[in-house]
């Protein structure tokens, strides 16, 4: 008895193997697409739900109890240790001697 496959059987086998492999690859790509769509949705929702940037910032020193500068909210030079505050609080800080940032000049407006 001849155990060799016929050419037709070999082609059908190759097609099944390729079909299974392709199905797995397509499933992986579909999962990547779903993951990316989820990430984009989360990012968009995060941007939409982000609170507005403060109009005024108070920058504090390393010890966190010494005010360094008062900044406008969009100042490029505001340090990492800055927190948002209301306009009245910013004006009070300036009146109490906290220096105004020399770059954004919150005391000039």
């Amino acid at each position: 008895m001849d155990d060799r496959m016929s050419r037709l059987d070999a082609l059908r086998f190759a097609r099944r193997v390729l079909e299974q492999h392709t199905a797995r690859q397509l499933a992986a790509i579909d999962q990547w697409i779903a993951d990316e769509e989820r990430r984009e949705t989360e990012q968009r929702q995060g941007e939409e739900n982000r609170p507005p940037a403060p109009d005024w910032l108070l920058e504090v020193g390393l010890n966190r109890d010494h005010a360094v500068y008062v900044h406008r909210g969009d100042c490029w030079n505001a340090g990492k240790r800055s927190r948002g505050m209301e306009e009245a609080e910013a004006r009070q800080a300036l009146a109490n001697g906290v220096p105004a940032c020399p770059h954004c000049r919150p005391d000039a407006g």
Side-chain angles (χ1 to χ4, degrees):
M1 181 162 149
D2 191 7
D3 287 339
R4 293 187 326 177
M5 262 191 213
S6 71
R7 282 179 50 101
L8 185 57
D9 288 339
L11 288 170
R12 286 181 178 145
F13 175 76
R15 186 187 188 290
R16 281 194 312 270
V17 169
L18 185 59
E19 185 177 37
Q20 291 170 359
H21 178 73
T22 302
R24 284 192 302 271
Q25 293 301 314
L26 286 173
I29 291 171
D30 288 343
Q31 184 61 52
W32 296 338
I33 290 170
D35 291 345
E36 189 60 29
E37 288 173 341
R38 180 185 45 77
R39 275 191 289 276
E40 285 182 1
T41 299
E42 289 173 355
Q43 183 176 2
R44 187 177 59 253
Q45 288 173 342
E47 290 169 359
E48 290 170 357
N49 295 334
R50 182 176 293 139
D55 292 330
W56 302 90
L57 298 169
L58 180 66
E59 181 179 350
V60 295
L62 290 175
N63 61 4
R64 305 261 185 215
D65 63 352
H66 172 1
V68 177
Y69 286 122
V70 174
H71 297 273
R72 290 183 187 269
D74 60 351
C75 181
W76 64 270
N77 198 38
K80 291 182 179 181
R81 292 175 307 276
S82 297
R83 65 168 179 83
M85 61 182 172
E86 299 293 323
E87 181 178 2
E89 189 180 359
R91 293 195 184 283
Q92 184 64 42
L94 290 168
N96 289 342
V98 177
C101 171
H103 301 286
C104 65
R105 298 303 313 239
D107 56 343

